[in-house]
Amino acid sequence: MAASASPEITAFWAEFSAAQPTLQALPLRDRVEAANTILERHLEGLALEMSGGDDDAVVDLIATAHGSVENFPLLMQLVAAAPTLAHYRLRAFRERTTQPDFPIGMDGFELETSDVLVACGRDDGQAALEIRFGREIPSDYQDHARNMAFIMLDHVLGEYDFAVKVGAVDFVEMPQDPDAQWTPLSQLPPVFDRHWIDFLGRTGEFPQGEHDWAGMTLAFGPGADGRGDEAIVMVNRSAQPVAMRADLAYALELDLAVENRDELAAVQALQDQAATLLELPQLGILAYTMTRAGRRKAVYYVGDTQMARQALAPLLLRDEAASLELTTRFDPTWSGYFEFAVHL
């Protein structure tokens, strides 16, 4: 079990492990209910699902946050801390269904994935989806149909991709763009993946050679002292291909004082060396920097914050890092990066 697991996660896995013989004696439906009862005693916002047969010696155990991004770090910590489970294949997040052509029903109304038509676009760094229905939907069931379409999207694209890669979802009566390509939801996954790579440029591959940087100056209004100030932001456009990779979901910030030109040069050199230490083993990538009010902040996207800190530890012991403020935050959509990158 991972040494960094919280007491709550450790307690859950201890109780779950001890309960395995009892759980195995139950039908799968009852086993799921019993497992979630144990989970709820220790953690909030997560759930467990199981896939398999009552008599299977090993079944799939899926940990889900029901698409709630704020609970994704807890879910990933839960899975990372799991002990060996004799009767379960554990994974994080609901994966894409292998049979995307399916119906669902709600309050006497049934909808097929083939009835839901989707067009892909852009929403800043994420994919935007427009949705219309390929058949007449009775007025009393319009809200039902939209709710069902969201449930279907989660199953067809998978929990992580739908929550992280998809931004705006708009329902339309008629096509707004005559050139838009409309795809039945049952056939969306390969179309969505091509859109992600070909249109949005998310190849997932680390950039090689010199990176392409672009800058902007931001003006901020008067503060408490009645004076405004400016910030210089430099954006690494070469980072776009790896944006929103599931293993680069944390923003690690190195914020240092730069009171004069010499300090600025020293800090920039240190932050560039940090980028090299992270990028060579592909632990992370420097995404953007901001210089404002006597400080320079460099923001790197990393997957394992502990490994990244270890890689940078010797560098951050240097004299020029004395003013360091180091923070990390979960940002799987790279919102900090695209706040600036969309304008360049």
Side-chain angles (χ1 to χ4, degrees):
M1 186 175 294
S4 60
S6 69
E8 294 80 8
I9 289 175
T10 301
F12 162 72
W13 282 123
E15 184 175 351
F16 184 89
S17 297
Q20 279 194 90
T22 304
L23 293 173
Q24 281 305 106
L26 299 174
L28 199 63
R29 182 183 296 272
D30 296 337
R31 204 183 314 170
V32 173
E33 186 174 335
N36 277 293
T37 298
I38 296 172
L39 181 66
E40 289 162 8
R41 280 200 281 270
H42 303 281
L43 298 165
E44 295 182 355
L46 305 181
L48 296 171
E49 299 175 353
M50 296 183 190
S51 176
D54 289 345
D55 299 324
D56 291 347
V58 179
V59 299
D60 291 318
L61 177 64
I62 303 101
T64 174
H66 297 303
S68 175
V69 172
E70 58 265 29
N71 289 325
F72 281 10
L74 180 63
L75 185 155
M76 292 187 287
Q77 291 160 20
L78 175 73
V79 172
T84 300
L85 301 170
H87 301 291
Y88 300 98
R89 290 180 295 268
L90 177 65
R91 66 173 185 263
F93 306 110
R94 295 191 196 101
E95 295 181 346
R96 294 179 175 183
T97 177
T98 56
Q99 297 177 322
D101 195 352
F102 62 88
I104 63 172
M106 184 182 292
D107 295 339
F109 176 73
E110 186 172 282
L111 192 68
E112 303 259 357
T113 51
S114 56
D115 297 327
V116 181
L117 304 179
V118 184
C120 298
R122 184 196 299 271
D123 179 19
D124 291 342
Q126 296 171 295
L129 301 181
E130 280 195 340
I131 296 178
R132 63 186 178 92
F133 296 107
R135 68 174 177 87
E136 189 71 28
I137 305 295
S139 57
D140 291 350
Y141 288 101
Q142 289 285 336
D143 288 341
H144 277 328
R146 293 182 178 189
N147 289 337
M148 292 159 80
F150 271 101
I151 294 169
M152 289 171 160
L153 277 165
D154 182 84
H155 283 78
V156 169
L157 291 180
E159 180 179 3
Y160 191 91
D161 279 5
F162 183 41
V164 171
K165 294 183 177 180
V166 175
V169 178
D170 294 319
F171 291 87
V172 298
E173 295 286 332
M174 297 294 293
Q176 307 293 308
D177 180 357
D179 297 323
Q181 306 261 325
W182 290 91
T183 304
L185 183 53
S186 56
Q187 301 169 28
L188 181 63
V191 174
F192 181 87
D193 292 343
R194 283 198 304 274
H195 178 79
W196 188 250
I197 295 170
D198 296 342
F199 183 72
L200 297 181
R202 309 282 184 267
T203 63
E205 297 176 358
F206 266 75
Q208 302 296 315
E210 286 292 318
H211 291 191
D212 176 21
W213 287 83
M216 67 179 75
T217 301
L218 304 178
F220 292 87
D225 60 1
R227 294 186 300 177
D229 69 327
E230 289 185 342
I232 298 173
V233 178
M234 298 297 297
V235 176
N236 184 3
R237 292 193 288 200
S238 298
Q240 292 233 21
V242 296
M244 298 184 222
R245 260 181 39 170
D247 60 348
L248 297 173
Y250 287 87
L252 183 150
E253 301 182 358
L254 302 184
D255 194 330
L256 292 150
V258 288
E259 297 295 344
N260 54 55
R261 185 174 297 180
D262 290 341
E263 283 189 359
L264 176 59
V267 164
Q268 181 172 344
L270 184 143
Q271 291 172 338
D272 288 346
Q273 289 173 56
T276 300
L277 289 172
L278 293 174
E279 289 167 15
L280 282 177
Q282 299 192 0
L283 292 174
I285 190 167
L286 175 55
Y288 66 96
T289 66
M290 176 186 284
T291 306
R292 180 188 181 192
R295 297 191 70 86
R296 189 176 196 265
K297 175 174 67 177
V299 181
Y300 311 78
Y301 281 89
V302 303
D304 188 318
T305 57
Q306 186 173 355
M307 285 185 65
R309 286 170 180 256
Q310 288 173 353
L312 299 180
L315 186 67
L316 303 182
L317 292 175
R318 293 184 183 176
D319 291 344
E320 56 266 42
S323 63
L324 174 67
E325 294 179 7
L326 190 157
T327 59
T328 59
R329 58 189 169 82
F330 187 64
D331 184 18
T333 63
W334 285 42
S335 61
Y337 174 77
F338 283 107
E339 180 182 357
F340 307 114
V342 294
H343 301 296
L344 296 170

